Amino acid sequence: MESNRILVVDDEKGICDNVRKILSKKKYEVTQALSAAEALEKMAGESFALLISDIVMPGKNGLELLKLVKEQWPLTKVLIMTAYASTDTAVKAIRLGAVDYIPKPFTPEEIRNKVEKALSGELKETPIPDGEKRVINVIDLDIPFDRQEVAKAAGEEYADSLGPSDMPAVELPSLEALEFYCKTGGKVCDIFKKLGNTCKAGLKNNECPQAKKGAKGKKGASDKKGFDPRKLIGIDLPFSYEEVVSATGPEYIMSLQGDGISFVPYEELKARVAEMLPRKRDVIDVDMPFQREEVARSAGEAYADSLGPSDMPAVSAPSQETLEHYCKTGQKVCDIFKKLGNTCKAGLKSNECPQAKAKKKAAGKKDEPIDVKRLIGIDMPFDYDEVAAVTGPGYVQRLQRGELALEPYENLKQRILKLKEKEPVRPVAVLPEKKTREDILVIDDEVAVNNNIRKILSKKGYSIDQAMTREEALQKVKGKAYRLVLLDLRIPGVKGLELLETIRESMPEAKVIIITGYASIETAVESARLGAVDYLPKPFTPDEIRKVTENAFLLAA
């Protein structure tokens, strides 16, 4: 296999041409294909060191192509590029064998660097078991059916025709290829047929006689012209050029791309931002429609400078301890403390404010501070005695942090022995100490998120363990074996993905799902490279967390 041969696959010929020009300058031999089917045909007859493929294409998409290529040509390296980048397809691409994932648009330097790293071996394929690759859904980004299921129900031909929108990609014949198609009128015409595939009147003035006659028959009607598809803005934005220009101006149209999205070039965007920067100080807040100068004229410069994003002045309050005659024992400014020369002899002896003590005596009772050690749990703030009075001390003793009463093993063992008093007690073999096995460990420093995940998954019968800090997570990973770990990316004290690496080293068989409020394509790709099986951005719904959990357990089965 020649190390400089590259196959580029994209249904947009312009993209293929651009990538070929960029890489040809580095002496790479580049071949193009406009579909997955064409790419497979070329690969069957030639060998390539690298495949660069788009994802969204008619017929088979890029992930399906990737899966087939890695099955039939495992030595060929694959780079995935897409204008529809998502953390979901990024993780799938890496786990299916791609060495990297490149969002469009990219610069010539970016694509050259990725290709060089891929061919030099710097970018390596993530080792994933074949069984796990087989269950990854690749037929479409938003269709939850496997290709075999669709083919079984609707036939092979229908499954092959499915495109990225879940609708069959039907290839329409060219209008000009239709029988008796008249180019002058832009339609199939009976008169054109009768005249032997010609239109003498139309050829003279380059106008359809029927259209001209119909326009004359309507008073005040303007001349009708044939539909010009070249004047449409885009396939998925079917508006005429003139209509959009009249509403938005020509500059907006010039920046429109083929998918109907306005794209402002970097230099123009940079210039716009530079124009806005000098005026930035004038705007106090998004929801406060006053200019800074107006506020400063009415309330003064100092007040205007102190305004924060909540429209309230950001005032720096002095520390209480810096106040004159502040007594630390009573935690207040005290006249007696002042009279005694900034000291409090009675307070220093008992470490209690004499004035506060006197007030408590006058009230006839002494307020006791809450003893947090007597609370049942952080998220169940009931006093031990209150619960014991209602349920009995036995119930309270067996309460765990999850608010469920769990009877200790020794107590349960004694009860069973009492039931079997008539039978001889058999000696219990002492087994060597080993890790206990739980279903799921949830690692997230946000207590509310952690508890919500526990409640959602507990209803499905899973056994859930929780960790809120880095230290707690490491302790649990060392002491127990888990089938699945749900890991937040932003844990205090954790640098990057080091916790994911530690979990994979300690429990290589455990599946890991990343949950994060700071989702990005880069972290999704790196997480997949380190062995994460899924990547779920926050906020997510109960159905979403249940679905990724079920998928992870299918991989573990």
Side-chain angles (χ1 to χ4, degrees):
M1 182 186 295
E2 295 183 29
S3 61
N4 69 333
R5 299 204 66 204
I6 299 171
L7 177 61
V8 180
V9 189
D10 199 307
D11 59 322
E12 293 184 65
K13 193 175 186 303
I15 299 291
C16 287
D17 290 337
N18 287 338
V19 174
R20 179 180 55 77
K21 289 175 185 175
I22 292 166
L23 298 180
S24 295
K25 291 179 181 179
K26 288 288 184 178
K27 307 303 180 185
Y28 293 114
E29 186 182 336
V30 182
T31 303
Q32 299 172 211
L34 299 179
S35 67
E38 186 183 350
L40 291 170
E41 189 178 331
K42 288 180 184 283
M43 291 194 72
E46 305 174 56
S47 62
F48 298 93
L50 179 65
L51 170 73
I52 304 175
S53 176
D54 187 25
I55 291 182
V56 181
M57 298 184 290
K60 285 184 174 63
N61 63 45
L63 294 183
E64 288 180 285
L65 176 62
L66 166 61
K67 196 172 183 179
L68 289 169
V69 167
K70 296 312 292 182
E71 286 173 359
Q72 298 178 42
W73 300 279
L75 296 180
T76 301
K77 296 179 180 180
V78 183
L79 279 174
I80 292 294
M81 59 180 180
T82 180
Y84 301 91
S86 71
T87 56
D88 179 53
T89 55
V91 170
K92 284 180 178 178
I94 297 300
R95 288 182 59 75
L96 284 168
V99 294
D100 213 338
Y101 181 96
I102 314 168
K104 296 177 186 176
F106 45 75
T107 64
E109 193 62 30
E110 283 173 338
I111 189 69
R112 277 196 292 262
N113 286 341
K114 296 289 186 184
V115 169
E116 286 172 11
K117 288 180 179 179
L119 292 177
S120 67
E122 188 176 341
L123 291 175
K124 297 185 183 297
E125 184 179 332
T126 303
I128 304 293
D130 291 338
E132 291 189 18
K133 288 183 180 180
R134 280 194 292 271
V135 300
I136 295 175
N137 176 33
V138 296
I139 193 169
D140 194 16
L141 315 183
D142 55 354
I143 178 170
F145 300 108
D146 185 71
R147 187 193 177 284
Q148 283 74 18
E149 292 180 35
V150 177
K152 196 181 295 182
E156 288 286 339
E157 189 177 346
Y158 178 82
D160 287 338
S161 70
L162 276 178
S165 62
D166 309 340
M167 295 295 289
V170 181
E171 187 176 349
L172 295 173
S174 170
L175 286 173
E176 295 184 15
L178 296 174
E179 195 176 8
F180 310 123
Y181 175 80
C182 175
K183 290 183 180 180
T184 307
K187 63 180 180 178
V188 175
C189 178
D190 291 334
I191 297 174
F192 185 77
K193 176 183 176 182
K194 291 175 182 177
L195 295 174
N197 288 352
T198 185
C199 182
K200 294 178 182 179
L203 289 171
K204 286 181 181 179
N205 54 15
N206 199 28
E207 189 175 0
C208 177
Q210 294 187 64
K212 190 175 181 180
K213 186 179 179 181
K216 285 181 178 179
K218 295 179 181 178
K219 291 183 180 180
S222 61
D223 293 341
K224 291 186 179 180
K225 294 183 180 179
F227 175 71
D228 186 1
R230 291 172 297 178
K231 295 179 75 176
L232 295 182
I233 298 296
I235 296 169
D236 51 352
L237 185 65
F239 299 106
S240 173
Y241 181 93
E242 284 79 6
E243 289 179 33
V244 181
V245 167
S246 63
T248 63
E251 290 181 359
Y252 177 83
I253 298 298
M254 288 169 64
S255 64
L256 270 180
Q257 304 302 301
D259 55 0
I261 297 172
S262 180
F263 175 75
V264 181
Y266 173 72
E267 290 301 327
E268 187 180 337
L269 184 64
K270 189 175 172 183
R272 289 187 189 180
V273 173
E275 289 176 9
M276 293 167 62
L277 285 176
R279 300 196 297 269
K280 191 175 180 183
R281 192 169 175 267
D282 295 344
V283 182
I284 288 178
D285 196 9
V286 179
D287 54 349
M288 182 174 181
F290 301 108
Q291 283 201 344
R292 188 191 176 283
E293 283 70 17
E294 292 179 35
V295 178
R297 278 200 298 271
S298 302
E301 288 286 338
Y303 178 83
D305 287 337
S306 70
L307 278 178
S310 62
D311 309 338
M312 295 296 289
V315 181
S316 177
S319 170
Q320 285 188 329
E321 296 186 14
T322 60
L323 298 174
E324 194 176 7
H325 312 308
Y326 177 80
C327 175
K328 290 184 179 180
T329 307
Q331 294 185 347
K332 63 179 180 178
V333 175
C334 178
D335 292 333
I336 297 173
F337 185 76
K338 176 183 175 183
K339 289 176 183 177
L340 294 174
N342 286 353
T343 185
C344 181
K345 295 178 181 178
L348 290 171
K349 286 181 182 178
S350 60
N351 199 28
E352 190 176 357
C353 177
Q355 294 185 60
K357 194 174 181 181
K359 286 181 181 178
K360 286 180 182 178
K361 283 184 179 179
K365 62 177 181 179
K366 182 180 178 181
D367 294 331
E368 294 182 4
I370 297 173
D371 184 2
V372 293
K373 291 183 287 186
R374 297 183 67 191
L375 297 180
I376 300 295
I378 296 169
D379 52 352
M380 183 174 173
F382 299 108
D383 186 78
Y384 178 95
D385 297 328
E386 291 178 28
V387 180
V390 178
T391 64
Y395 176 84
V396 179
Q397 287 173 9
R398 296 194 291 273
L399 270 178
Q400 305 300 305
R401 283 187 63 183
E403 306 155 19
L404 300 173
L406 177 67
E407 187 166 4
Y409 173 72
E410 289 300 326
N411 292 3
L412 186 62
K413 185 177 167 184
Q414 291 300 324
R415 288 193 182 188
I416 293 172
L417 289 175
K418 286 179 182 179
L419 293 172
K420 297 183 176 181
E421 285 179 355
K422 294 181 181 180
E423 297 180 9
V425 179
R426 297 176 182 177
V428 179
V430 179
L431 297 174
E433 186 178 348
K434 64 177 182 179
K435 288 185 177 182
T436 57
R437 190 165 182 83
E438 299 285 345
D439 282 339
I440 301 171
L441 172 62
V442 182
I443 305 173
D444 197 311
D445 61 315
E446 294 183 75
V447 178
V449 174
N450 208 318
N451 286 337
N452 284 338
I453 293 173
R454 172 177 57 79
K455 290 172 183 175
I456 291 166
L457 297 181
S458 293
K459 291 178 180 178
K460 286 290 182 179
Y462 295 115
S463 172
I464 312 295
D465 207 351
Q466 296 172 267
M468 313 286 180
T469 64
R470 175 182 178 274
E471 292 72 23
E472 191 179 2
L474 293 174
Q475 186 180 357
K476 288 184 180 290
V477 167
K478 288 177 182 176
K480 295 181 181 179
Y482 299 92
R483 297 173 64 194
L484 174 64
V485 178
L486 297 171
L487 173 63
D488 184 23
L489 274 185
R490 295 287 184 96
I491 301 289
V494 177
K495 294 180 181 178
L497 297 168
E498 65 171 358
L499 194 52
L500 172 58
E501 293 182 70
T502 304
I503 291 169
R504 294 292 298 152
E505 288 172 7
S506 302
M507 301 185 301
E509 293 182 2
K511 305 303 175 189
V512 182
I513 296 173
I514 298 298
I515 52 174
T516 179
Y518 302 88
S520 70
I521 299 299
E522 291 78 13
T523 55
V525 169
E526 287 305 313
S527 299
R529 282 182 178 148
L530 291 171
V533 299
D534 219 327
Y535 188 99
L536 186 61
K538 296 178 184 175
F540 45 76
T541 64
D543 282 340
E544 286 173 335
I545 192 70
R546 279 193 290 262
K547 184 178 178 182
V548 295
T549 301
E550 288 166 6
N551 289 342
F553 277 110
L554 282 175
L555 293 176

